[in-house]
Amino acid sequence: GAIQLFNALAVDNGNHTATFSAAVLNTTTDAAKLTGATARTSNGATVKATIAPAIVGAGRVFDTGKPGALVLSSPKLTAGDYVTVKLSFSGGNSVTVDAPVVARNATYEGVANAPGGEELPVKSADQPGL
C-alpha cells in the first residue's frame, strides 16, 4: 500500500504501557500525518493508543519509536504477547500490523518510554538536506 510498516514491535515500558516502534515508509508524493491509531491484544482486548505529532515525508521513512509517536496502554500488555495496531494517516491511508510485545533492554534503549512526537518530516540519512 501507500504506507508500509517494517520491523514493528511494542517495547514494554514496565508500567502497563508499551511504545510502538516501527519504520513507516510513505511511498506517496505527499507528506502523511499520523491522525489516529487503534490497538487490540492478541485475545481481542482493547488497548488505549496515545499518538503524538508525527509526519512521514513523501518517499521517506519515519521511526515511530524514537520520538514516542505511539504509546499503547493496557494492563494486559506484557512481553511475549502480540498486539494488533492500526495506524491512520492523512490522505485516507491506513496500515495494520500484528506486532510482538518485547521486554525493554539495552537493544531498545533508543525507544522512547513516553509519548513525544515530531512535528516535521524526518530527513533521510542518504539525503540529509531534504
Side-chain angles (χ1 to χ4, degrees), residues 3 8 20 28 37 48 50-51 57 59 68 70 79 81 84 86 91-92 94 97-98 104 108 120 122 129:
I3 304 291
F20 182 74
T28 72
K48 181 181 176 188
T50 302
I51 63 169
L70 174 59
D81 289 336
T84 300
K86 179 180 180 182
S94 66
V97 67
D98 290 327
R104 182 172 289 278
Y108 306 113
L120 301 174
V122 174

Side-chain angles (χ1 to χ4, degrees), residues 9 15 47 49 75 87 90 99 129:
L9 51 85
N15 59 359
V47 174
L87 301 178
S90 58

Side-chain angles (χ1 to χ4, degrees), residues 3-8 20 22-25 62 64 85-87 89 95-97:
I3 304 291
Q4 300 173 10
L5 296 180
F6 298 93
N7 302 324
F20 182 74
V24 181
L25 172 63
F62 179 82
T64 65
V85 176
K86 179 180 180 182
L87 301 178
F89 293 87
V95 62
T96 302
V97 67

